[in-house]
Amino acid sequence: MSSLASKTNPVPGAAPLGMALFLVSLAVLFAASMVGFLVVRLDAETWPPPGMPRLPHGLWISTVVLLVSSGTMHWASRSARDGDQRALQRALVSTTALGAVFLACQVAVWWHLVSLDLTATTNLYGFSFYMLTLLHALHVIGGLAPLAVTTWRARRGRYTPEQRTGVTLCAMYWH
């Protein structure tokens, strides 16, 4: 196989395999973070510690936003598979917008808790909260950049039912 052929026709499955391996490494990072949180949480006599605010209900809003964005990303994948360019574009724009809404919700929650004097340096409760939510926010930010590129490419008709790797990789990451 010539080097030109390998650039235009990559080995089928190589990109999804690479993404899957990357996602496994992220899963290990998230799992280690959750184990750390559970160790702190289970060691505490009371949770939250006395005098600390309860976590805002805005976290539920951001959770719902992410669940809906998973649905719009699924819509994008299905639209790419079916060759429905208009639906693909709408679904990708919707997913990108919902990712931005999630980040705005996170910032609002952080702002609220800081106003209540709960920061990452207050205690392990604050540290655990900010560490987990910041890690999740960084993960969403990491998905928005390729999602924006994929959306831009979709708006130019670059995806077909036969060639939709960018959409597939974004869906893998987003879910």
Side-chain angles (χ1 to χ4, degrees):
M1 178 182 274
S2 73
S3 63
L4 178 60
S6 66
K7 289 181 183 175
T8 57
N9 295 317
V11 176
L17 175 62
M19 178 59 77
L21 292 173
F22 175 64
L23 293 174
V24 166
S25 69
L26 286 178
V28 169
L29 175 64
F30 277 106
S33 300
M34 289 305 298
V35 167
F37 166 75
L38 289 173
V39 166
V40 169
R41 170 68 176 91
L42 294 174
D43 192 48
E45 289 182 30
T46 58
W47 198 265
M52 291 293 105
R54 305 229 18 101
L55 298 180
H57 295 294
L59 292 173
W60 288 109
I61 295 169
S62 62
T63 299
V64 169
V65 166
L66 276 187
L67 289 172
V68 172
S69 77
S70 185
T72 59
M73 192 68 235
H74 178 74
W75 174 31
S77 294
R78 192 182 70 235
S79 299
R81 184 193 67 224
D82 295 344
D84 187 342
Q85 294 296 315
R86 188 172 200 87
L88 171 61
Q89 294 167 19
R90 286 181 179 162
L92 289 172
V93 167
S94 297
T95 305
T96 303
L98 288 166
V101 169
F102 167 81
L103 292 175
C105 288
Q106 292 298 100
V107 169
V109 166
W110 294 333
W111 188 268
H112 175 70
L113 289 175
V114 167
S115 76
L116 298 175
D117 294 324
L118 180 64
T119 68
T121 60
T122 303
N123 52 29
L124 280 175
Y125 175 68
F127 176 80
S128 299
F129 170 77
Y130 286 103
M131 189 257 321
L132 289 173
T133 58
L134 181 61
L135 185 60
H136 203 183
L138 290 173
H139 182 70
V140 170
I141 290 168
L144 284 175
L147 189 56
V149 169
T150 301
T151 302
W152 179 81
R153 290 177 54 101
R155 293 182 63 103
R156 279 146 189 78
R158 303 276 175 90
Y159 298 110
T160 65
E162 298 76 29
Q163 176 42 281
R164 57 184 194 270
T165 303
V167 177
T168 300
L169 296 176
C170 279
M172 289 176 70
Y173 184 90
W174 204 256
H175 292 307

